[in-house]
Amino acid sequence: MAQPNHEPITATADAGDVLGTYLRSQATAFLRALRLHDEGTASGAAEGSDAARSLRGAARRISGSLATFRVVTESSWADGLRTELVWLSSTLADEHAYAARLTRLMDALHRLSGSPELPAPRGTAGALTVGSARAGALLERQLTLARTRAHSATLQALGSSRFHAVADAVAVLASEVPLDSVAARGRVGDVLVPLAEVAENRLSAAVAALPPRGGGEQAAPSPYNADHDGLWHEVRRLLRVHRYAREALGEDVSRPAAAGEALDRHRDAAEAAAASATAARTPRIAPATAYALGVLHADQRHEVEAARLDFERLWLREPAVTPR
């Protein structure tokens, strides 16, 4: 997906001009991705998946910017469009998420079943290999069904009058941004920068509220703290809002982008772990299958912890100390 150009923006520039330029560029990117998505869907080309990703990215950038810089726009218009874009990006994301989750879990099962370091339950040789095949089949059934339902929901959404209204609104946005007549005449340094700092402060507060990964600097982190996942997901959301605000100001966002990729991996691993746990609760599955799903769950929780550590190294001032 094409990223915005990082061009210097002076603090004395008009806030409305800067925000309007950013929103129009993202609306244009949205419409371009929508056209490519329609073409890819019609031809069955792989480009359709990339276009859907670009479509989601543009929708998130517009909605995030409308949230951060709400007072610079016509608020009622911004609130309505933001709500619809959040709905659209969430709907479009589901099908891709289920497909990616299945791929992640199948790859992990293949890797784990070939590892000589993992003991079989009660000394039964090959139990993980046998169980992983059944676990893979179970996960494939469950996640393929979920993906099929998400695909149907996506098709229904893209054919709905609600979606066409969103597309029409974005098309208008590509040429004209409804701005507040007073706030838009202010300077970037007086209007946009303070609003971007509010988004950054919210992120900083969420990061500070994250529970410690272990009992101290030298303590090993607790591997099974799934109850904390929601707090990390909120940091991921706020980091994305912060990143888009800085993009709108023309700043370099390579650091938040890298940290965001770590939190994307965190989200993917956490959801994969949850999927393996859900599969393990399937009634009347064989012990070897349950064992393989348990090993898979532990493996994905380990990936969660690794992603958290990566985020800390990328984002926090003081690098986390890893146990030796």
Side-chain angles (χ1 to χ4, degrees):
M1 177 175 55
Q3 300 297 323
N5 294 325
H6 304 299
E7 299 180 357
I9 294 176
T10 63
T12 57
D14 286 344
D17 290 344
V18 171
L19 180 60
T21 297
Y22 182 76
L23 288 174
R24 285 193 298 272
S25 70
Q26 294 307 315
T28 300
F30 179 99
L31 297 173
R32 184 185 305 114
L34 178 59
R35 177 178 57 80
L36 293 174
H37 180 269
D38 290 342
E39 293 174 355
T41 301
S43 63
E47 288 80 0
S49 178
D50 293 336
R53 188 177 299 107
S54 297
L55 190 62
R56 296 196 306 270
R60 288 195 303 262
R61 282 177 167 82
I62 296 171
S63 62
S65 299
L66 291 178
T68 301
F69 303 116
R70 177 177 180 269
V71 298
V72 187
T73 66
E74 291 184 3
S75 299
S76 60
W77 164 82
D79 292 344
L81 181 56
R82 186 176 74 247
T83 298
E84 294 304 281
L85 289 172
V86 169
W87 159 75
L88 178 60
S89 60
S90 176
T91 300
L92 293 176
D94 285 345
E95 181 181 358
H96 169 76
Y98 286 122
R101 197 170 307 152
L102 178 59
T103 298
R104 166 183 276 270
L105 289 170
M106 297 300 285
D107 288 346
L109 276 174
H110 179 73
R111 170 172 49 83
L112 292 169
S113 62
S115 173
E117 300 177 0
L118 294 172
R122 291 188 291 275
T124 303
L128 182 58
T129 301
V130 174
S132 65
R134 296 174 179 173
L138 177 59
L139 288 167
E140 187 167 9
R141 286 197 302 272
Q142 292 182 346
L143 291 176
T144 298
L145 177 61
R147 180 187 180 186
T148 300
R149 289 172 175 169
H151 179 69
S152 297
T154 297
L155 293 179
Q156 183 176 4
L158 293 178
S160 68
S161 58
R162 182 179 184 181
F163 169 74
H164 289 295
V166 175
D168 289 344
V170 175
V172 172
L173 178 63
S175 59
E176 180 182 0
V177 180
L179 297 170
D180 179 84
S181 59
V182 177
R185 290 200 300 267
R187 298 185 300 179
V188 166
D190 296 331
V191 179
L192 298 187
V193 171
L195 292 172
E197 288 174 349
V198 170
E200 185 173 3
N201 291 337
R202 288 172 179 164
L203 169 62
S204 298
V207 172
L210 290 173
R213 295 191 314 110
E217 283 192 352
Q218 302 301 323
S222 302
Y224 295 108
N225 50 359
D227 290 343
H228 298 162
D229 287 347
L231 297 174
W232 284 84
H233 295 336
E234 177 66 4
V235 168
R236 174 178 174 269
R237 185 188 70 81
L238 292 172
L239 176 60
R240 194 162 58 194
V241 172
H242 161 70
R243 173 188 168 191
Y244 297 159
R246 294 301 171 179
E247 278 185 359
L249 295 176
E251 298 180 9
D252 179 23
V253 294
S254 55
R255 179 169 173 255
E261 289 176 359
L263 292 182
D264 287 345
R265 295 196 303 273
H266 173 277
R267 186 272 318 272
D268 293 345
E271 292 183 346
S276 61
T278 298
R281 291 192 291 270
T282 302
R284 297 183 297 279
I285 60 174
T289 306
Y291 172 73
L293 290 168
V295 171
L296 181 60
H297 178 270
D299 174 75
Q300 293 303 300
R301 292 308 307 176
H302 176 76
E303 294 294 324
V304 167
E305 292 298 331
R308 290 178 181 180
L309 181 57
D310 285 345
F311 171 78
E312 291 171 355
R313 287 171 170 164
L314 289 163
W315 191 251
L316 299 183
R317 296 290 182 184
E318 295 294 332
V321 177
T322 57
R324 295 183 181 275

